[in-house]
Amino acid sequence: MADETASPSLNILAQYTKDLSFENPGAPRSLQQRDKAPNININVNVNANPLSDTDFDVVLTLSAEAKDDNKVVFAAELVYGGVFRITGFPQEHMLPLLFIECPRLLFPFARQIVADVTRNGGFPPLMIDPIDFAQMFSQRMAEEQVKAQTLNS
């Protein structure tokens, strides 16, 4: 149990790339000049797992797929993690810390890796727009609540 008298702290103990994948299936043809930009679909996911009473592994997954009509131009997936030490916070603050604050701290690093890998793949760097992790968390909690109500019905 966390010491209630300790001042709250959130520390990043480590950051790491767990998995990185980039596919350019149409190269070198896919690198030719285009009349229109491909459609890019970006998915984001956050997971957190306890390592101890105070340490947590938070994993941010970013997937991007660019398509021109139905052909995949490129696909990138990054699983980027951080080990966080969280002490002195009330229990009710833990989920928002793990699913909002921790991914917010990881995002700039993950965004840069995706930009670099797409640039190194021969495309303009994919600069993912900032993500509203608070809104993602609220949506996830609402979905969990609906699931729980459905199971209890």
Side-chain angles (χ1 to χ4, degrees), residues 56-110:
F56 298 86
D57 181 38
V58 177
V59 177
L60 175 61
T61 302
L62 300 175
S63 317
E65 184 176 66
K67 285 188 170 183
D68 192 359
D69 294 322
N70 280 337
K71 282 189 170 176
V72 174
V73 177
F74 71 78
E77 182 177 50
L78 171 65
V79 180
Y80 191 74
V83 177
F84 293 84
R85 179 161 293 152
I86 302 173
T87 57
F89 284 94
Q91 190 60 40
E92 64 269 16
H93 293 179
M94 292 304 290
L95 284 178
L97 280 168
L98 292 169
F99 288 92
I100 299 170
E101 193 59 27
C102 293
R104 188 185 67 76
L105 293 169
L106 293 174
F107 179 73
F109 300 96

Side-chain angles (χ1 to χ4, degrees), residues 32-49:
Q32 295 173 337
Q33 192 70 18
R34 308 180 175 283
D35 295 334
K36 62 181 172 90
N39 291 324
I40 299 176
N41 184 27
I42 297 172
N43 289 307
V44 180
N45 193 19
V46 177
N47 281 305
N49 295 300

Side-chain angles (χ1 to χ4, degrees), residues 130-142:
I131 295 167
D132 185 348
F133 290 105
Q135 191 269 332
M136 270 182 62
F137 177 71
S138 295
Q139 188 176 348
R140 188 174 184 169
M141 290 294 98

Side-chain angles (χ1 to χ4, degrees), residues 9-20:
S9 71
L10 170 67
N11 302 97
I12 302 174
L13 303 180
Q15 289 180 231
Y16 62 93
T17 298
K18 187 169 188 163
D19 186 30
L20 176 61

